[in-house]
Amino acid sequence: MKLTEKELEVVEILAKNARLPLETIAKMASLSIEETEQIVHKLEEEKVIVQYAAIVDWRKIDGHEGVTAMIDVKVTPKRGVGFDEVAERIYKFPEVKSVYLMSGAYDLSVVIEGRSMSEVAHFVSEKLSTLDSVISTTTHFILKKYKHDGTVFEQGDQDKRIVMSP
């Protein structure tokens, strides 16, 4: 889909902060509120804007820390459907948050979330690796998120003293 310059500008504004009021987006894009509303509606209808979501730092909520793992999956593609069919089977599991077709040593990258490492291990051994097309998996556990979708987590207390030298 080809977007106009103004439509692209609205997409970029929403990608940075989807909570901005329509009036603010209109001002930023030099559009009327009605024009902005029409553009946003069109983008939603055409599935250019798929969903509005919050980025949550779950480590700050007691009892909800959880475990995130990135799993490299090597698969045998099926004739006529390639990787799409196995990717669809994988993304239908509720634990799966993302599935990407990759270049390189592995075919798919799967991101899953669980309550514990053993829950993730159970998913890999009982659900993922038992699929017909799956040849091998390599699991990487995320130990700490520094930045996610452009949002920096915990910038830390930086020393704000002025450096003095003789």
Side-chain angles (χ1 to χ4, degrees):
M1 162 178 224
K2 183 86 170 143
L3 296 181
T4 67
E5 193 175 311
K6 288 297 179 182
E7 290 169 339
L8 188 56
E9 191 173 351
V10 170
V11 169
E12 290 170 349
I13 291 167
L14 286 170
K16 288 179 185 159
N17 185 354
R19 293 193 61 175
L20 287 174
L22 213 51
E23 296 80 18
T24 305
I25 297 167
K27 285 180 188 173
M28 292 172 75
S30 302
L31 295 166
S32 71
I33 294 171
E34 294 77 23
E35 290 172 313
T36 306
E37 193 171 37
Q38 288 172 355
I39 289 171
V40 171
H41 181 71
K42 174 186 174 187
L43 295 169
E44 291 170 345
E45 287 291 313
E46 295 291 330
K47 301 289 186 209
V48 172
I49 296 174
V50 180
Q51 179 179 336
Y52 298 95
I55 297 172
V56 178
D57 189 350
W58 289 104
R59 293 175 305 132
K60 294 187 176 184
I61 303 170
D62 292 338
H64 288 82
E65 296 86 5
V67 175
T68 303
M70 299 177 80
I71 306 165
D72 298 328
V73 184
K74 197 175 273 191
V75 300
T76 304
K78 292 196 175 186
R79 182 175 295 254
V81 292
F83 296 100
D84 295 346
E85 185 178 289
V86 70
E88 184 177 349
R89 288 184 68 196
I90 292 170
Y91 71 61
K92 286 186 175 179
F93 290 113
E95 301 91 338
V96 175
K97 300 303 170 198
S98 305
V99 178
Y100 305 100
L101 179 61
M102 305 296 288
S103 63
Y106 289 88
D107 303 308
L108 299 174
S109 180
V110 179
V111 179
I112 74 160
E113 292 179 359
R115 286 175 287 206
S116 65
M117 286 182 145
S118 62
E119 188 176 282
V120 171
H122 181 266
F123 170 80
V124 173
S125 65
E126 300 297 319
K127 295 180 180 179
L128 185 59
S129 63
T130 61
L131 295 174
D132 293 339
S133 298
V134 172
I135 299 169
S136 66
T137 64
T138 303
T139 304
H140 309 276
F141 289 97
I142 294 178
L143 303 177
K144 182 177 181 180
K145 284 184 186 177
Y146 293 100
K147 187 175 183 179
H148 179 77
D149 283 345
T151 300
V152 176
F153 290 80
E154 284 188 48
Q155 293 194 21
D157 295 330
Q158 296 178 3
D159 191 352
K160 294 184 172 117
R161 297 177 289 175
I162 298 173
V163 177
M164 303 284 289
S165 60

